[in-house]
Amino acid sequence: MQWSDQAIIIGVKRHGETSVIAELMTRAHGRHLGLVRGGRSRTMQPVLQPGNEVEVVWRARLDEHLGEFRVEPVRLRAARLMEAATSVYGVQAMGALLRLLPERDPHPHLYEALDVILENLHDPRDAGELFVRFEIAVLNDLGFGLDLAECVATGERSDLIYVSPKSGRAVSRTAGAPYADRMLALPAFLTEGGAADYDSLLAAFRMTAFFLHRHVYEPRGIALSTARDGFVQAALKALKPQDTVARS
């Protein structure tokens, strides 16, 4: 068995004295693990850092085996990802999200999104919005997609300011008014475009955290990634640097 693909490193674990097991997000083969012989060498260590883009060849006797990777560097951005808090936490938080997906299940659009976000994590103002959209995309691929295009009660496509915590669907101002205290806020930048401010980004982080916890983390008995919390703090601080940042 053999295939080649583009991939992004999302994690590495030591294996024996000289090798590692690399965890990659590939374009066509999903999240995939494989053995890299000599992965702890001085040559390979800088390549096998989270966030780096590589060309990979995977080989195994049988498809269900762990197999081996042969890795060639394409874009080494790990050093730049260490320059900002949003980058340091963001690459870890996105790796944690991708681990929620079944291994070897293709998600090419998530690969593309991951590649774009990694190029923009150094800018906290862009990183926060992109990360929220990535969480929404992961929820969708897990079968818990949010419908933010029209009001669940009236079908209206304007003045959508709430999200129903039960259905994960948008609710208009008028339809949601009697139940406002039970609703989640729907930030305008997710439906109308434009840039997020501190309050709207905080609301977006709270919304995605709610649905991730209810549909994914709680049923599996796991907690939200601590790296996500660090990323949220860093992204919000950039929008409101003089104030104390509330936890989402």
Side-chain angles (χ1 to χ4, degrees):
M1 304 297 297
Q2 177 175 316
W3 51 256
S4 59
D5 203 353
Q6 291 176 284
I8 294 170
I9 309 290
I10 60 174
V12 175
K13 293 182 180 179
R14 294 175 59 175
H15 184 80
E17 294 185 3
T18 61
S19 300
V20 300
I21 294 176
E23 183 179 22
L24 313 180
M25 183 62 184
T26 68
R27 184 186 295 276
H29 297 83
R31 184 175 63 86
H32 210 291
L33 278 69
L35 179 70
V36 181
R37 297 192 182 278
R40 293 177 60 195
S41 69
R42 291 184 179 181
T43 301
M44 291 305 300
Q45 281 187 9
V47 176
L48 298 174
Q49 296 297 315
N52 284 344
E53 182 183 348
V54 297
E55 288 281 351
V56 62
V57 176
W58 178 81
R59 291 191 180 96
R61 286 185 57 201
L62 297 174
D63 186 60
E64 61 267 24
H65 287 178
L66 174 66
E68 295 185 16
F69 284 139
R70 188 178 74 240
V71 177
E72 295 292 338
V74 174
R75 189 167 13 170
L76 302 184
R77 51 190 165 202
R80 180 163 58 83
L81 290 173
M82 297 298 292
E83 294 176 357
T86 46
S87 299
V88 172
Y89 289 118
V91 68
Q92 298 175 49
M94 287 191 293
L97 284 168
L98 292 170
R99 291 184 187 101
L100 299 173
L101 302 169
E103 189 184 350
R104 306 188 182 191
D105 189 10
H107 297 270
H109 57 291
L110 290 182
Y111 174 88
E112 298 290 349
L114 176 64
D115 193 40
V116 170
I117 297 173
L118 287 171
E119 285 296 296
N120 291 276
L121 277 178
H122 63 283
D123 185 340
R125 293 176 179 273
D126 292 336
E129 294 183 37
L130 290 169
F131 185 86
V132 163
R133 295 183 188 278
F134 190 76
E135 288 188 314
I136 292 173
V138 170
L139 275 167
N140 184 68
D141 280 29
L142 289 170
F144 307 108
L146 307 181
D147 184 352
L148 308 179
E150 64 179 33
C151 176
V152 63
T154 65
E156 294 179 17
R157 291 179 171 267
S158 61
D159 205 22
L160 305 176
I161 67 167
Y162 302 114
V163 178
S164 167
K166 291 185 178 180
S167 67
R169 299 184 65 183
V171 181
S172 68
R173 185 186 305 273
T174 301
Y179 318 100
D181 59 333
R182 303 179 218 168
M183 295 287 179
L184 297 167
L186 173 56
F189 75 88
L190 290 177
T191 56
E192 301 173 8
D197 59 16
Y198 174 89
D199 290 331
S200 62
L201 188 59
L202 176 60
F205 282 135
R206 285 175 171 166
M207 179 188 72
T208 52
F210 175 85
F211 288 108
L212 282 166
H213 178 73
R214 189 176 77 174
H215 292 306
V216 184
Y217 291 108
E218 188 175 37
R220 300 186 188 190
I222 56 179
L224 279 167
S225 163
T226 55
R228 181 191 189 271
D229 191 47
F231 175 84
V232 168
Q233 299 300 312
L236 291 174
K237 185 177 181 180
L239 294 178
K240 197 173 183 182
Q242 301 303 318
D243 296 340
T244 301
V245 178
R247 281 187 97 138
S248 71

